[in-house]
Amino acid sequence: MFVRLVIVSAGIGASVAAIGPSASAAPTAAPACRVLAPGASAVAQRAVAAACGQIGVWYSWGGGHGSVPGPTFGHYDGHDPDSRQDGQRRGFDCSGLVRYAYYRATGGDILNGVANDQFHTGHAVARFAPGQGAGPLLPGDLMFWGRGNIHHVAIYLGAGQMVEAYESGTHVRTAPVRLGGDYAGAVRIAGNGGTPPPPAAGRHWVETFAAATGYAGPNTAEPRGVLNKGRNYVYCKVRGAKVGNDRQFNHWWLRTDLDRAFPGKSGRGAYVSAYYLARWGNDEAKDVNGTVIPDC
């Protein structure tokens, strides 16, 4: 009898090598795509169901990132020959599938962006380091791969299985979790319809319509890093340099902690212009409930 050897490298572009399976060896059936362990929130269970409903749909690089979450035609990624056909394949890339799953689960587009954005989401209620493995994970948790910049994401199902849009030329599938290589850890998304729990005392939730550069003060003199698009907390506001144009502008700056700091810089206590608030008008600085953010 021959022994099957499978080598899988984590992340996009994984390779599989098989050595001499015997002709009589029975193939192993892929596990059913569903919640495979107890403990997940209702939102997480709905996200799993939404992702599993896409089993067999094409992976398409850039797919799933239209104005409304859902499968779209992708495009060539610039280096993978299998990606040259993605413009004719309607489907998802890895983050597009995750975006769609949690959109269906919550009714809100809470995970818009690429895998790196989703890793840094403000909708996380728990984070798990790579060394913790899959032990503490629940169905619906997001698993990530990448060093420095996150390049792949999948949704945990339980029982050591996940669902993912893997790479060009393949379809949405289930697979065993991959904890080696550049596995970067996991994130649990808020289980209450996409709204994170109340922030700690002295913090206020806001919604930003785009990623915003954070600065050392209420001006653009010293950039420190980036605050991701989406739900974020801020501490207070201070008047500063105008950002925008004659029609759309804001003089308020919001003190916050950035998602990503530039090399050699600290992202804590930085300032981001209130121009990037998604719901309010000129020179307004309010949280998601319409409450004016207090002065610093």
Side-chain angles (χ1 to χ4, degrees):
M1 177 181 293
F2 290 90
V3 177
R4 180 183 296 272
L5 172 64
V6 179
I7 304 171
V8 181
S9 63
I12 295 175
S15 59
V16 178
I19 299 178
S22 66
S24 61
T28 301
C33 190
R34 57 183 175 83
V35 172
L36 297 176
S41 70
V43 164
Q45 292 181 55
R46 292 196 295 268
V48 167
C52 288
Q54 303 304 305
I55 289 289
V57 172
W58 276 111
Y59 176 100
S60 189
W61 199 80
H65 294 284
S67 58
V68 176
T72 62
F73 293 100
H75 51 88
Y76 178 43
D77 69 2
H79 63 86
D80 182 0
D82 285 332
S83 179
R84 293 184 183 276
Q85 303 303 315
D86 284 349
Q88 289 77 50
R89 293 168 176 158
R90 187 171 180 269
F92 300 95
D93 65 13
C94 62
S95 55
L97 178 65
V98 167
R99 178 195 183 200
Y100 169 78
Y102 271 90
Y103 171 73
R104 292 294 304 272
T106 67
D109 192 8
I110 67 169
L111 292 176
N112 190 8
V114 297
N116 194 61
D117 298 319
Q118 293 170 348
F119 181 75
H120 294 286
T121 178
H123 293 274
V125 294
R127 293 183 178 273
F128 305 94
Q132 293 178 267
L137 302 188
L138 295 176
D141 289 349
L142 306 183
M143 305 181 72
F144 294 91
W145 290 262
R147 292 193 179 97
N149 186 68
I150 300 297
H151 61 77
H152 188 58
V153 59
I155 301 175
Y156 188 61
L157 299 175
Q161 299 291 320
M162 62 187 183
V163 58
E164 64 180 346
Y166 187 53
E167 65 179 352
S168 295
T170 68
H171 301 83
V172 176
R173 68 182 193 180
T174 60
V177 299
R178 300 184 295 274
L179 300 176
D182 61 351
Y183 175 60
V187 169
R188 182 166 299 152
I189 301 302
N192 52 355
T195 302
R203 299 181 183 184
H204 309 270
W205 289 123
V206 298
E207 194 81 23
T208 53
F209 66 81
T213 301
Y215 298 88
N219 53 62
T220 58
E222 184 185 335
R224 283 191 175 182
V226 175
L227 186 72
N228 289 337
K229 170 186 175 181
R231 187 66 59 93
N232 296 284
Y233 66 79
V234 300
Y235 296 106
C236 55
K237 73 180 191 303
V238 63
R239 196 82 170 176
K242 174 184 174 180
V243 173
N245 51 49
D246 290 340
R247 296 183 59 187
Q248 294 179 312
F249 58 85
N250 212 302
H251 289 85
W252 291 112
W253 289 75
L254 308 174
R255 190 167 184 264
T256 187
D257 300 321
L258 304 178
D259 294 299
R260 287 172 282 161
F262 294 144
K265 302 290 185 179
S266 171
R268 295 185 63 83
Y271 291 85
V272 170
S273 172
Y275 174 84
Y276 291 95
L277 293 180
R279 298 173 56 187
W280 312 114
N282 293 337
D283 276 348
E284 290 187 312
K286 301 178 182 179
D287 66 15
V288 294
N289 297 314
T291 302
V292 174
I293 297 165
D295 292 342
C296 296

